[in-house]
Amino acid sequence: MFPSSPVTNHPHKSISRHFQPRSFIPLQQNILWKLEKGIVRNVTWHEDGTLVTLGVWGPGDIVGKAFSKIEPYEIECLTKVEVTIVPANEWYPLTEVLLAHLQQAEELMVIRSYKTVEIMLIKLLGWLAKKFGREVENGHLIDLRLTHQDIAEMLNSTRVTITRILTNLEERGLIDRLPLHRIVLKEEQIWHYEI
Amino acid sequence: MFPSSPVTNHPHKSISRHFQPRSFIPLQQNILWKLEKGIVRNVTWHEDGTLVTLGVWGPGDIVGKAFSKIEPYEIECLTKVEVTIVPANEWYPLTEVLLAHLQQAEELMVIRSYKTVEIMLIKLLGWLAKKFGREVENGHLIDLRLTHQDIAEMLNSTRVTITRILTNLEERGLIDRLPLHRIVLKEEQIWHYEI
C-alpha cells in the first residue's frame, strides 16, 4: 500500500521520507505531510498540458490533497525534499494550516493581478525572498533552483518572457543571477516585499 | 460601537442587517457574517486604485476579515444584501468554511490562468452560473447585475476588453444579454462548468 521510497527512522519523530527533485509526493486523501526540508509546489494543469502553480511551500509547512478540490492535482518537489506524516490526531490546529493556505492563495492572486509580467515578476521575487530567501552580503538570496519555466508557471506566463525580463533586471543591476538558477535580489525596492 | 444600518429582529434567528448595493460590510476582526440574501465580493486594490477580486460569495456563505491577511481588504455588496452575525460559539465547523474559501481561491486562480481573456471569461461565466445561476427556458441565467467593470476586476482585465468579448459571444449566439446586466448562457459548452 505504501509507495516505495527511502525511509529513515528518527527517534522520537515520525518516520521521514525523502523525494528527489521533480518527483511527486503521494496523495492519499487522509495523509497530511509536513515539510522538513526542501521546497514543493502544488500544481494543476489545463487540458493542453499548461501547468498552473497553486502554491509553493517550504520547511515547516503542511501540505496534502485534503486541502484542495482541484483536479488534476499534484504536489511536486522542486528540490530534494524530506517530509514526515502528520498523524491524524495531530492535525490541530488545522484552522491555522488552512488559513496559511488561504493567505498564500490570496497573495498569489494579488501578485498575478498586476498589469505587466515585469511587475508580477518583481513582486514574485520579493515574495519568494521573504518566504524562502536568506540575507547575503549583497542582498537577498533565493536558492530554490527555479527554472525560468517554473517561474513562468507561477505567473501564467512563458519561459521566453521570463528569460527576457530577468536578463533586463540583471542589466539594470537589480538582481544577480548565479549558477544553478539562484537569484540574488540586490536592491531594496526589489527585495522589500510589498504586494 | 455598532455602525448604523437597518436592523431587523427575526424571532429564533440572529439579528439581520441590510446593505445597499456598492456599500461595504463592516470588518470587525471578530465577526463572521453569514449571507442570507444577495451577493458580495472580497476585494483588495493596488496603489494605483486597480481593484482585485479575491472572492465572490452568495446566500449561505460565510465571510469576514478573519479569513484574510490582505491589506487593504473590503467586503463589498454587489446587490442588496442581508447578513446575520455568526456567533463566536457557532464558528464550527470553521474548517469547512476555510476549505470553501481555499477552494474558491484555487478555482479563481485556475480561471485566471488561461491564455486569453476570452477563455477566462467563458470559464468565469460557467463558474458564476454554477455557483449563483439558475436554469431558465433557454439556458442558465446569471442575475448578479455585474457591470463589465465588475467582470474586468474578476479577471484582471479591462472594461473595454470585457465589453468587446461579451458582444462577440452574443453575436455568436452563445449568450444573451438582458437588461440590468443579466446574462443568459445559451449553449452547453458555455454553461457546462469545467475549469
Side-chain angles (χ1 to χ4, degrees), chain A residues 139-187:
Chain A
H140 273 56
L141 172 67
I142 302 171
D143 185 12
L144 299 182
R145 319 290 170 98
L146 296 171
T147 67
H148 297 180
Q149 182 65 33
D150 291 335
I151 295 172
E153 286 160 357
M154 291 180 186
L155 298 176
N156 308 320
S157 181
T158 64
R159 186 187 56 74
V160 173
T161 302
I162 299 302
T163 298
R164 177 175 56 72
I165 297 171
L166 285 175
T167 303
N168 177 264
L169 292 177
E170 190 169 47
E171 285 167 1
R172 288 155 61 193
L174 297 171
I175 66 170
D176 271 344
R177 290 187 289 169
L178 308 180
L180 300 172
H181 292 296
R182 290 168 299 167
I183 298 175
V184 175
L185 309 188
K186 288 162 68 181
E187 298 288 337

Side-chain angles (χ1 to χ4, degrees), chain A residues 17-59:
Chain A
R17 296 182 62 189
H18 295 82
F19 296 91
Q20 291 299 311
R22 305 297 159 181
S23 61
F24 295 114
I25 293 180
L27 287 181
Q28 293 101 316
Q29 189 65 42
N30 293 317
I31 288 187
L32 291 183
W33 300 99
K34 182 173 182 186
L35 288 167
E36 304 291 345
K37 291 179 189 163
I39 307 288
V40 303
R41 60 177 180 181
N42 322 340
V43 296
T44 186
W45 52 90
H46 299 163
E47 284 178 11
D48 68 0
T50 305
L51 215 84
V52 181
T53 305
L54 299 170
V56 187
W57 302 98

Side-chain angles (χ1 to χ4, degrees), chain B residues 54-72:
Chain B
L54 299 169
V56 187
W57 302 99
D61 290 325
I62 292 175
V63 296
K65 178 74 184 85
F67 297 150
S68 186
K69 293 191 177 174
I70 299 285
E71 292 285 354

Side-chain angles (χ1 to χ4, degrees), chain A residues 86-178:
Chain A
V86 182
N89 61 353
E90 292 177 17
W91 278 28
Y92 301 93
L94 191 54
T95 52
E96 281 180 28
V97 179
L98 282 166
L99 274 171
H101 278 253
L102 184 56
Q103 182 188 349
Q104 181 175 132
E106 293 193 339
E107 287 170 349
L108 287 175
M109 280 197 262
V110 172
I111 288 169
R112 290 164 177 160
S113 69
Y114 284 92
K115 287 195 176 66
T116 68
V117 179
E118 179 176 298
I119 301 176
M120 288 183 208
L121 181 52
I122 288 170
K123 300 284 182 184
L124 179 69
L125 291 176
W127 183 82
L128 288 171
K130 188 183 181 197
K131 187 162 169 58
F132 302 110
R134 66 171 195 272
E135 217 164 318
V136 291
E137 196 180 344
N138 57 338
H140 273 56
L141 172 67
I142 302 171
D143 185 12
L144 299 182
R145 319 290 170 98
L146 296 171
T147 67
H148 297 180
Q149 182 65 33
D150 291 335
I151 295 172
E153 286 160 357
M154 291 180 186
L155 298 176
N156 308 320
S157 181
T158 64
R159 186 187 56 74
V160 173
T161 302
I162 299 302
T163 298
R164 177 175 56 72
I165 297 171
L166 285 175
T167 303
N168 177 264
L169 292 177
E170 190 169 47
E171 285 167 1
R172 288 155 61 193
L174 297 171
I175 66 170
D176 271 344
R177 290 187 289 169
L178 308 180

Side-chain angles (χ1 to χ4, degrees), chain A residues 42 44 46-48 50 52-54 66-70 73 94-95 98-99 101-103 105-110 112-115 156 194-195, chain B residues 42 44 46-48 50 52-54 66-70 73 94-95 98-99 101-103 105-110 112-115 156 194-195:
Chain A
N42 322 340
T44 186
H46 299 163
E47 284 178 11
D48 68 0
T50 305
V52 181
T53 305
L54 299 170
F67 296 151
S68 186
K69 292 190 179 174
I70 299 286
Y73 183 85
L94 191 54
T95 52
L98 282 166
L99 274 171
H101 278 253
L102 184 56
Q103 182 188 349
E106 293 193 339
E107 287 170 349
L108 287 175
M109 280 197 262
V110 172
R112 290 164 177 160
S113 69
Y114 284 92
K115 287 195 176 66
N156 308 320
E194 200 167 316
I195 53 174
Chain B
N42 322 342
T44 185
H46 299 163
E47 284 178 11
D48 68 0
T50 306
V52 181
T53 305
L54 299 169
F67 297 150
S68 186
K69 293 191 177 174
I70 299 285
Y73 184 87
L94 191 54
T95 52
L98 282 166
L99 274 170
H101 278 254
L102 183 56
Q103 183 188 347
E106 293 194 338
E107 288 170 351
L108 286 175
M109 279 197 262
V110 172
R112 291 165 178 160
S113 70
Y114 284 93
K115 287 195 177 64
N156 308 320
E194 198 167 315
I195 55 173

